[in-house]
Amino acid sequence: MQIAGFRLDLERLPAPLPIWRATVRADTWLVVARAVVDAGGRLVSLWGSDRTRGAAGCLVASAAYALNEGLVWLDVELSGRVATYPDLAPLFPCATRMQRALADLLGVTAEAASDQRPWLDHGAWPAHYRPLRREDTRRTPSAGRAVVDYPFVRVEGDGVHEIPVGPVHAGIIEPGHFRFSVVGEKVLRLEQRLGYKHKGIEQRFTEVPALQAHRLAGRISGDSTVAYAWSYCMALESLAGREIPERACWLRALLLERERVANHLGDLGALGNDAAFVFGLAQFSRLRENWLRLSNEVFGHRLTMDCIVPGGVAGDISPAMAARLIGQCAEIESDVRILRQIYDEHSGLQDRFMTTGRVSPELATRLGLTGLAARASGQTADLRRDQPWPPYDRLQVNIATQCNGDVAARVAVRFDEVFESLRLIREILSRLPSGEIRHQIHLPGKSAFGAGRIEGWRGEIFVALEWDGENGANSIRRCHCHDPSWQNWPVLEHAVIGNIVPDFPLINKSFNLSYAGHDL
Amino acid sequence: MWRTVKQIARLGFRSEAAPSCDDAPRIESERIQRQLLAILGRALSIREVDAGSCNACELEINALNNPYYNIEGLGIKFVASPRHADMLLVTGPVSRNMAQALRRTYDATPAPKLVVAVGDCGCNGGLFGENYASRGRVANVIPVDVAVPGCPPPPIEILRGILTAVRRCRNKPD
């Protein structure tokens, strides 16, 4: 395959979406990165693995790039006593935090990177412990330590003061720290500090049986349990070389679209509430509750956790249940249409939404904004349309886009996506193929690589999986899970510049990024 | 404006009875309010602390504010500061990076300082367990009065856990 005229010896992984993998030398690493920039590609994820086996093997840094043709997963082998790799941050700003996390987890650093502060490691982990190093994974960690202070960037000048927020926030939300530098009410600078929820999930993956690890994947970010479980199962099925039954594909898409609607309904209500329109919260939270209750009846779980399993889905639905799901789409659609009109005509609400927290399309492209937020800033990317995997290859997804990049645009994209997902759900249910819902998965007796890529409600979820089947090891050697929040959190820092402090909760909610999925 | 009013009028009152504790559900919400007043002498204020969950428990705790559960109608509300709270509702597992913040939140909470751990992870560490970055269950970091299992527990079970902790509070030494 060629990237902007540059030939690479790529191995195609047997995934339902086009995904290639290759190992490159350190000097090629940057050449390819530049070619990706020239071709208009994006950095999806950056991570690392310990591939040592006794004296053999080495540490590896990996990058995944999204191109028009598909996803390219590149490994660079790190040698020498000081394991480093070329810094990607000058080409892809979103690489900065991923590189800092990689240094915390594996102890390998980007050469001469401008920001080398720890990111996930707050000083509370045992001393000199690198959780993804094999020798550290095997030893029992010594006692933890106290968290240390973090060197925030200070803004100097007359009248500038700081507002520290978090990690325990005022609402029922996840923990993170926001440091605002403000003059009066106006935000000059926001610096985030995340990592509070890091609980060692990537190390945990290596201790869980591969055929049960979809449960762990489904608990990386509870609001995206379907997207993560599907992504993980896709990676596992791809390395096992096993396709899933057609009916299972369609049922997975049904679950994914229902997850999208559930989250959008919740967010639309919360956005009304954050602009002091409590009516919106009451209305949308009622719709969301109706939605979750039917999920519980049909799938046995309100948030549809553990419904996607390796090889297919856990349970089937009856024609009567399908009819109820279709009927609910009509009810929800008519209510959401009424509510959209109310939102659109409410001058106080629109005053808060419009021009607030703006990310211009140019900035979105430069910073690598992704997913729903990107579509509100003029980026027309959606895997369901661009790389349609079964059953989306038969569904013709219409994607929602807006150009203003403000809170109002992110609200509009959510409304449009609710209607489109309701249409898709009805179509999926009316065309649901018959047959089995689950295949047995046999994992290979050798080392193998697999990858999964899903357009979740927030954006693209990516899973890179390494299986070790040699000498009866039969375990996950490495499972890297990537949340689109990695790309979008830094953009939020830009979105709030020049806005007033009271608009921050509204802007933050309009992105609704994951802390758990980012901190892992 | 008339559309907003019309929508409110069309839907009417949707709140449901609180979970029955063997009394007739009709009088349940009244009974809960009376108990809160008898035990605490005031409405119950809760500070929610996410100490490392996957966020699913938070989604279900948020659902308690929807019109069906109408938790404020029972005299229970979520507050922005532990200093205003009678109870901490904590989800876990407690990450090492959050342990200090959780401890400080607990220290800042005045009596009766009730703690309800929500979800399997809060009860026993869940799928994540204890490791270099996770301290596991909430009780490993602060004292817990009631633990509500489930992954995540549905809102009605969370509400039941909250009410159970309030009732036990009667016997709790200050």
Side-chain angles (χ1 to χ4, degrees):
Chain A
M1 184 189 153
Q2 286 201 330
I3 299 173
F6 188 83
R7 282 210 74 81
L8 269 178
D9 190 14
L10 292 159
E11 168 205 6
R12 168 94 193 239
L13 298 178
L17 288 81
I19 299 175
W20 290 272
R21 198 183 139 263
T23 303
V24 297
R25 293 206 320 250
D27 50 347
T28 319
W29 174 261
L30 272 186
V31 176
V32 175
R34 278 194 206 98
V36 170
V37 174
D38 293 341
R42 291 179 297 115
L43 177 70
V44 173
S45 185
L46 188 146
W47 71 104
S49 321
D50 183 348
R51 291 207 195 125
T52 54
R53 282 176 192 276
C58 58
L59 301 175
V60 173
S62 308
Y65 297 108
L67 294 158
N68 287 338
E69 298 85 348
L71 186 109
V72 177
W73 165 358
L74 291 183
D75 290 337
V76 58
E77 297 185 341
L78 312 175
S79 52
R81 273 179 304 133
V82 190
T84 60
Y85 57 94
D87 180 16
L88 289 183
L91 295 168
F92 301 99
C94 64
T96 305
R97 288 178 180 179
M98 296 189 250
Q99 292 181 161
R100 289 166 64 189
L102 179 52
D104 293 345
L105 297 172
L106 194 65
V108 301
T109 50
E111 278 154 25
S114 59
D115 190 347
Q116 305 221 4
R117 289 174 295 172
W119 183 240
L120 299 177
D121 183 357
H122 291 191
W125 303 348
H128 310 298
Y129 188 80
R130 295 292 168 231
L132 295 182
R133 290 269 179 119
R134 292 184 79 75
E135 72 261 22
D136 281 354
T137 305
R138 279 192 289 262
R139 81 180 157 99
T140 315
S142 50
R145 298 170 295 161
V147 293
V148 294
D149 279 343
Y150 182 76
F152 285 98
V153 175
R154 302 296 285 266
V155 176
E156 308 275 326
D158 275 354
V160 180
H161 68 282
E162 286 190 348
I163 307 176
V165 180
V168 180
H169 290 157
I172 304 171
I173 53 168
E174 302 185 80
H177 185 95
F178 299 116
R179 185 66 59 96
F180 298 92
S181 298
V182 302
V183 169
E185 281 284 85
K186 196 170 166 182
V187 179
L188 294 181
R189 186 174 199 281
L190 161 64
E191 185 171 359
Q192 300 152 354
R193 187 192 190 194
L194 302 175
Y196 288 93
K197 304 192 93 176
H198 180 83
K199 44 194 178 280
I201 294 179
E202 295 197 318
Q203 190 191 71
R204 188 86 183 101
F205 263 111
T206 62
E207 303 162 351
V208 184
L211 291 174
Q212 278 157 39
H214 64 283
R215 299 192 64 233
L216 186 59
R219 283 158 182 81
I220 287 171
S221 180
D223 57 30
S224 301
T225 179
V226 171
Y228 270 104
W230 193 351
S231 213
Y232 171 79
C233 288
M234 185 188 281
L236 193 71
E237 288 147 9
S238 106
L239 69 80
R242 187 75 160 118
E243 287 190 354
I244 61 167
E246 206 188 354
R247 186 174 175 86
C249 282
W250 287 71
L251 288 172
R252 283 183 178 184
L254 170 66
L255 289 162
L256 187 68
E257 296 310 319
R258 282 190 63 88
E259 179 167 273
R260 196 180 316 277
V261 171
N263 280 292
H264 286 356
L265 291 176
D267 285 352
L268 286 167
L271 281 159
N273 194 50
D274 280 346
F277 191 44
V278 185
F279 163 85
L281 179 66
Q283 295 288 327
F284 277 106
S285 64
R286 179 185 72 88
L287 297 181
R288 180 179 152 91
E289 181 69 20
N290 291 348
W291 195 254
L292 300 189
R293 286 181 178 190
L294 190 57
S295 284
N296 193 38
E297 281 186 56
V298 176
F299 305 103
H301 194 284
R302 283 165 55 91
L303 304 177
T304 57
M305 278 180 164
D306 305 329
C307 291
I308 292 183
V309 294
V313 290
D316 208 342
I317 59 169
S318 64
M321 286 299 188
R324 286 190 62 194
L325 291 170
I326 291 175
Q328 191 185 37
C329 288
E331 283 167 32
I332 296 281
E333 180 162 359
S334 92
D335 266 315
V336 175
R337 287 207 188 279
I338 293 170
L339 293 173
R340 182 171 205 175
Q341 201 169 11
I342 291 173
Y343 269 37
D344 284 349
E345 291 175 358
H346 194 292
S347 55
L349 200 60
Q350 291 304 318
D351 183 46
R352 293 288 304 277
F353 285 177
M354 290 171 90
T355 72
T356 306
R358 193 160 180 268
V359 180
S360 69
E362 301 74 41
L363 188 66
T365 309
R366 193 148 51 85
L367 298 179
L369 191 67
T370 182
L372 176 150
R375 289 192 286 279
S377 288
Q379 316 293 298
T380 56
D382 189 319
L383 281 180
R384 296 174 298 161
R385 185 200 63 174
D386 304 335
Q387 313 276 338
W389 71 98
Y392 290 104
D393 52 349
R394 314 245 306 271
L395 282 171
Q396 302 269 334
V397 176
N398 301 307
I399 71 170
T401 50
Q402 295 282 326
C403 300
N404 286 343
D406 52 5
V407 173
R410 291 183 283 277
V411 168
V413 168
R414 282 181 169 90
F415 272 117
D416 289 340
E417 290 192 356
V418 166
F419 295 130
E420 177 64 4
S421 289
L422 291 172
R423 183 188 75 78
L424 289 169
I425 290 168
R426 281 182 283 226
E427 190 158 342
I428 289 167
L429 286 165
S430 60
R431 292 168 55 190
L432 199 59
S434 57
E436 294 175 88
I437 56 162
R438 189 171 185 184
H439 281 157
Q440 281 281 340
I441 296 283
H442 299 288
L443 291 160
K446 59 183 174 68
S447 291
F449 293 89
R453 202 180 174 202
I454 293 291
E455 186 77 35
W457 72 267
R458 188 181 275 118
E460 181 178 341
I461 309 277
F462 170 67
V463 171
L465 188 61
E466 298 180 34
W467 166 253
D468 184 1
E470 275 167 39
N471 305 322
N474 288 333
S475 61
I476 295 173
R477 197 170 168 83
R478 179 82 173 89
C479 180
H480 170 68
C481 300
H482 178 84
D483 194 278
S485 304
W486 279 98
Q487 271 82 3
N488 292 5
W489 274 119
V491 183
L492 177 63
E493 290 185 341
H494 289 262
V496 300
I497 293 172
N499 285 263
I500 56 171
V501 177
D503 272 340
F504 175 72
L506 182 63
I507 299 168
N508 192 22
K509 193 71 202 175
S510 74
F511 282 86
N512 194 8
L513 303 175
S514 174
Y515 302 68
H518 168 282
D519 296 351
L520 223 55
Chain B
M1 189 64 197
W2 68 269
R3 275 203 189 85
T4 309
V5 174
K6 191 175 146 198
Q7 176 77 354
I8 293 170
R10 189 173 68 82
L11 290 170
F13 191 68
R14 295 296 177 109
S15 299
E16 296 172 345
S20 158
C21 302
D22 60 42
D23 297 3
R26 237 169 354 103
I27 56 162
E28 187 61 17
S29 66
E30 209 179 300
R31 204 173 63 85
I32 289 167
Q33 286 172 1
R34 266 207 320 275
Q35 279 200 344
L36 288 176
L37 288 174
I39 297 167
L40 295 171
R42 56 182 179 268
L44 175 68
S45 299
I46 302 177
R47 169 67 274 198
E48 199 272 344
V49 183
D50 174 348
S53 81
C54 75
N55 197 30
C57 287
E58 276 63 36
L59 294 175
E60 294 295 55
I61 293 169
N62 262 315
L64 284 174
N65 283 317
N66 78 35
Y68 291 108
Y69 305 106
N70 188 21
I71 192 171
E72 289 206 10
L74 297 174
I76 302 170
K77 65 170 185 167
F78 291 95
V79 293
S81 166
R83 295 188 197 283
H84 306 156
D86 305 301
M87 173 187 287
L88 297 180
L89 201 58
V90 188
T91 62
V94 183
S95 68
R96 281 193 195 271
N97 289 348
M98 272 304 287
Q100 187 190 65
L102 176 61
R103 185 81 226 174
R104 284 185 181 169
T105 305
Y106 180 77
D107 290 345
T109 309
K113 229 190 219 324
L114 300 170
V115 177
V116 175
V118 174
D120 285 349
C121 301
C123 292
N124 58 29
L127 284 181
F128 307 104
E130 290 175 40
N131 63 21
Y132 71 94
S134 166
R135 302 263 330 254
R137 62 188 186 138
V138 175
N140 289 349
V141 180
I142 57 170
V144 169
D145 296 290
V146 172
V148 183
C151 188
I156 205 77
E157 292 306 318
I158 299 171
L159 182 52
R160 212 188 297 276
I162 293 169
L163 299 177
T164 307
V166 171
R167 276 184 207 123
R168 280 196 201 164
C169 169
R170 199 195 290 269
N171 310 319
K172 186 174 173 172
D174 272 334

